Amino acid sequence: MRPGLRLLLWIAIALLGALAVATIALHRGEQINALWLVTAAVCTYAVGYRFYSKFIAAKVLALDAQRATPAERLENGRDFVPTNKWVVFGHHFAAIAGPGPLVGPVLAAQFGYLPGTLYILIGAVLGGCVQDFVILLFSVRRDGKSLTEMAKEEIGPIGGLVAYGAVISILVILLAVCALIVVNALKQSPWGAFTIAMTIPIALLMGVYLRRLRPGRVLETSAIGFVLVLAAIWGGQWASQTPAVGKYFTLAAPALAIAIIVYGFAASALPVWLLLAPRDYLSTFVKLGTIGLLAVGIVVMHPTLHMPPLTRFIDGTGPVFAGKLFPFAFITIACGAISGFHSLISSGTTPKLIRRETEIRMVGYGAMLCESLVAIMATVAACVLEPGTYFAINSPAGIAGQVPETAAQTISGWGFPVTAAGMQALAHSVGEQTLFNRTGGAPAFAVGMAHIFSGSLGGQAVMALWYHFALMFEALFILTVLDAGTRVGRFMIQDALGHAWKPLGRTSWYPSTLTTSALIVAAWGYFLWQGVRDPLGGINSLWPLFGIANQLLAAVALCVATTIIIKMHHAKYALVTLSPLAWLVTVTFTASWHKVFDSDPRIGFLAQAQQLAAAGGNARLIFNNRLDAVVTVGLVAMVALILLESARQWLGILSGKKEARLKEAPFVITRLAEEQG
């Protein structure tokens, strides 16, 4: 295309995106079409990738195609493996795309569609994508080192030690809760259990096929995997309708917990090419394929957003969760805008697979854009529901009422009409007994997704089919976070133990791999088991902390990134990471203060504990609330210390008192031929 035509095309895309964003932000009165959200997202992401990510790649990071990556220099056939860029993209997207982009935007929809949509678009392009991109490059240039090792080397030993304590604590809790969500999604669900179980042997076959039988034949392997995963989805429906087969996949929560623990250990210990990378690549077919279908459904059906741009609950009285629009909307929506967990993948499994530095832009920045699009789709799925239906599904019984008629009356009194008969009809259409009080976001997303699909692909007759497919789809999203996160945790433990005894730090030494895999799985497996046995206590009590913890982890990653950029360029490009860091610190520290000290028992941990104690409430719940407060204060204190250590480094370098010494691996020219396609 000629330069002049290309310029006109990008001007047109930018103007269309600006029009869509203006329509979303300024439109009042009549309801708007969901296509405006999709248009705003696609145009914003296209401009961000084409111009902002290219600026970062060329000016800030200076990607070098001639520089050998650790996957090439340290190849060991197990963790460090030069891998096709599309397989790496699939692995990275599957590993970072967990429950956050699906659940967070659905919960935040209680404020209306406007705040969540704007934060997802702006936060991803200027924050989340930048974090993933720069951390991935910095890890690649440091032999694939973890975030905590980079913090120790670049910020200092104190910052590194504190970062390790904060990161490993957050990671264990996050993995345990992800596993618990999978258990709750798959228990007594033969369709979902069958389909997800079948992705494991399919991934093993793909790994052997691509590594041993037909090396380099990515398109062949992709075609085989695509056909087999479609067969697995169909087989799940067949298994659920065939009692002789379905009984083997109709599992209770304890059995599923044990199966997931065993799978987590295998995904961590086996060579990355055999299970983890091909399974994540395979999961990407379902993830991106489903999101693509959802986009097609929105285009075909062009549904109306029934949720208003802003609701009355921006004042903090929301029934889904308590707290005002600021800061709680920006804690609830994490992964769709910026997620600290991504930095662990960007400094964990992915940098050990990258063939060339020039592929990092597509993998780091591009995969996060795809996850952000998932969050936009989740927003649409929640907001195409009638507001009364949305609040009936997501409001807990303690607020809306235990009895359907009472709940319907309460929600209608908020100004969002709904009837018990209408909710019963909706529940029947999706094959459920009831949809009242189905908190957590996942059921609401599944209902919205089924509504869009049934309206464009099959009609109301297949509403139940699409609803259960959506639940399986959500479980698949979460499980890929679990396996990649476990492997990242193993790397972190090996990094730490390697300081005590060097062989334990070698990822190529199998006794170390098995030992550290067992340690990380035992850590999150313990909390998973407690959550399965005691759903009112254990890990469930820490759920309110996850948004805060995840964003605090992103603040740690941006501290490391800003330190390295200042060492590379002094202050010239520091705002690229310093701006999102400042925003995150403001939001998370404010939210943490409210969660600990707010006098409203629905918000403050200590206030809730005091209220329960005064009423003679459950001693375990009182203890859990006080524990939540202590954990929150501890995490904030650790991140504040990392921030102060980082600022000390920045001031020393900028004033000339400290030498700007980078801890990169020596430059080695690549011997790999340029990969085609």
Side-chain angles (χ1 to χ4, degrees):
M1 184 182 294
R2 294 178 180 176
L5 291 176
R6 187 182 297 115
L7 177 62
L8 289 175
L9 174 63
W10 281 109
I11 290 174
I13 292 172
L15 290 176
L16 179 59
L19 174 63
V21 171
T23 301
I24 295 167
L26 303 177
H27 191 84
R28 296 293 183 271
E30 294 183 3
Q31 296 166 333
I32 69 169
N33 196 286
L35 280 175
W36 284 113
L37 272 66
V38 177
T39 301
V42 171
C43 293
T44 301
Y45 299 155
V47 171
Y49 185 80
R50 170 60 181 81
F51 295 101
Y52 194 46
S53 76
K54 190 172 183 179
F55 160 75
I56 295 173
K59 300 295 184 181
V60 182
L61 303 180
L63 302 184
D64 188 351
Q66 298 303 310
R67 185 173 185 147
T69 64
E72 176 187 353
R73 292 186 292 102
L74 306 176
E75 181 177 5
N76 59 15
R78 183 160 48 250
D79 297 312
F80 292 88
V81 181
T83 306
N84 178 277
K85 63 184 177 183
W86 296 109
V87 177
V88 179
F89 179 90
H91 157 72
H92 189 75
F93 172 74
I96 65 174
L102 297 176
V103 174
V106 173
L107 298 179
Q110 78 162 350
F111 295 123
Y113 66 77
L114 179 59
T117 299
L118 293 180
Y119 184 52
I120 290 167
L121 297 181
I122 298 169
V125 171
L126 300 181
C129 296
V130 173
Q131 174 206 243
D132 295 13
F133 186 10
V134 298
I135 291 295
L136 180 54
L137 183 277
F138 294 152
S139 180
V140 165
R141 288 192 176 168
R142 288 160 179 79
D143 290 339
K145 286 184 177 176
S146 66
L147 178 66
T148 52
E149 283 295 297
M150 290 194 290
K152 185 188 74 172
E153 292 183 352
E154 302 294 346
I155 297 176
I158 296 177
L161 181 63
V162 176
Y164 183 84
V167 170
I168 198 69
S169 301
I170 293 169
L171 180 61
V172 167
I173 293 171
L174 175 64
L175 293 177
V177 172
C178 285
L180 189 57
I181 294 172
V182 173
V183 168
N184 290 335
L186 296 182
K187 64 183 179 182
Q188 309 301 326
S189 176
W191 183 9
F194 178 91
T195 299
I196 290 179
M198 288 303 104
T199 62
I200 296 173
I202 294 171
L204 292 171
L205 173 63
M206 290 175 63
V208 172
Y209 190 92
L210 190 59
R211 180 81 174 180
R212 304 293 188 204
L213 302 179
R214 301 277 285 174
R217 304 286 183 168
V218 177
L219 289 179
E220 284 183 23
T221 311
S222 301
I224 293 171
F226 180 71
V227 171
L228 290 176
V229 81
L230 288 180
I233 293 171
W234 175 85
Q237 184 185 15
W238 167 77
S240 67
Q241 297 172 352
T242 308
V245 178
K247 65 180 181 180
Y248 295 107
F249 294 93
T250 305
L251 303 174
L256 275 169
I258 293 171
I260 289 173
I261 288 171
V262 172
Y263 169 73
F265 178 81
S268 176
L270 288 176
V272 70
W273 61 264
L274 182 59
L275 178 58
L276 184 67
R279 190 190 178 282
D280 287 353
Y281 182 55
L282 182 66
S283 300
T284 302
F285 289 143
V286 179
K287 292 181 176 184
L288 290 181
T290 302
I291 294 301
L293 277 177
L294 193 55
V296 170
I298 292 171
V299 171
V300 172
M301 189 182 174
H302 46 274
T304 298
L305 297 180
H306 295 290
M307 187 71 71
L310 293 170
T311 70
R312 53 176 286 191
F313 298 124
I314 60 174
D315 64 356
T317 60
V320 179
F321 60 90
K324 293 183 178 181
L325 177 64
F326 179 86
F328 289 101
F330 310 105
I331 294 300
T332 305
I333 295 177
C335 299
I338 183 169
S339 167
F341 178 75
H342 295 190
S343 66
L344 302 185
I345 304 300
S346 293
S347 61
T349 52
T350 305
K352 298 172 176 64
L353 304 176
I354 292 284
R355 281 172 53 96
R356 288 183 175 277
E357 280 196 2
T358 48
E359 296 170 1
I360 292 174
R361 178 186 172 211
M362 180 188 80
V363 174
Y365 200 97
M368 176 56 200
L369 285 181
C370 290
E371 176 165 5
S372 188
L373 181 60
V374 173
I376 290 292
M377 295 301 178
T379 301
V380 171
C383 294
V384 296
L385 298 175
E386 291 289 344
T389 301
Y390 167 86
F391 286 110
I393 295 173
N394 287 289
S395 299
I399 294 177
Q402 295 276 359
V403 181
E405 288 75 14
T406 303
Q409 185 177 5
T410 301
I411 295 165
S412 297
W414 296 336
F416 305 111
V418 67
T419 64
M423 288 299 297
Q424 181 58 40
L426 180 61
H428 178 74
S429 70
V430 298
E432 293 285 354
Q433 294 297 317
T434 182
L435 286 174
F436 276 105
N437 316 131
R438 298 293 297 273
T439 58
F445 173 80
V447 172
M449 184 171 162
H451 171 71
I452 294 170
F453 277 159
S454 64
S456 55
L457 301 168
Q460 290 295 314
V462 294
M463 184 83 167
L465 178 73
W466 284 120
Y467 174 80
H468 285 91
F469 174 83
L471 290 178
M472 182 276 296
F473 167 75
E474 291 177 281
L476 189 65
F477 250 77
I478 299 165
L479 198 58
T480 50
V481 170
L482 184 72
D483 53 27
T486 300
R487 202 175 188 94
V488 168
R490 189 253 286 180
F491 291 146
M492 290 175 59
I493 294 175
Q494 285 181 303
D495 284 341
L497 294 181
H499 294 296
W501 189 39
K502 284 190 176 181
L504 287 176
R506 295 205 310 263
T507 58
S508 59
W509 192 45
Y510 230 80
S512 170
T513 296
L514 295 175
T515 301
T516 51
S517 294
L519 286 173
I520 187 66
V521 170
W524 63 255
Y526 169 80
F527 289 106
L528 167 63
W529 190 251
Q530 292 304 311
V532 167
R533 293 183 61 195
D534 181 14
L536 292 179
I539 199 64
N540 283 343
S541 66
L542 298 178
W543 178 254
L545 297 176
F546 293 160
I548 292 173
N550 195 29
Q551 302 300 77
L552 288 173
L553 186 54
V556 174
L558 290 170
C559 280
V560 173
T562 304
T563 302
I564 295 174
I565 289 175
I566 288 176
K567 288 183 177 182
M568 293 170 66
H569 304 288
H570 283 253
K572 189 174 182 181
Y573 298 119
L575 284 178
V576 168
T577 51
L578 194 57
S579 297
L581 172 60
W583 165 256
L584 284 180
V585 168
T586 302
V587 168
T588 52
F589 281 35
T590 303
S592 298
W593 188 91
H594 281 288
K595 290 304 296 180
V596 175
F597 299 111
D598 199 293
S599 59
D600 184 347
R602 290 192 62 211
I603 300 175
F605 292 133
L606 296 179
Q608 188 174 100
Q610 185 177 6
Q611 183 186 60
L612 288 169
N618 185 286
R620 180 183 292 272
L621 294 179
I622 295 170
F623 172 79
N624 287 340
N625 273 287
R626 289 171 177 165
L627 177 63
D628 285 352
V630 171
V631 171
T632 302
V633 171
L635 290 175
V636 169
M638 287 191 285
V639 173
L641 183 56
I642 295 168
L643 188 64
L644 290 173
E645 282 291 298
S646 301
R648 190 169 65 85
Q649 286 284 339
W650 305 340
L651 293 174
I653 293 168
L654 295 176
S655 65
K657 295 180 180 179
K658 282 184 175 286
E659 183 181 356
R661 183 179 299 172
L662 292 169
K663 301 296 179 69
E664 292 183 351
F667 177 90
V668 176
I669 194 164
T670 183
R671 293 176 295 173
L672 294 177
E674 187 71 49
E675 187 172 288
Q676 300 296 320

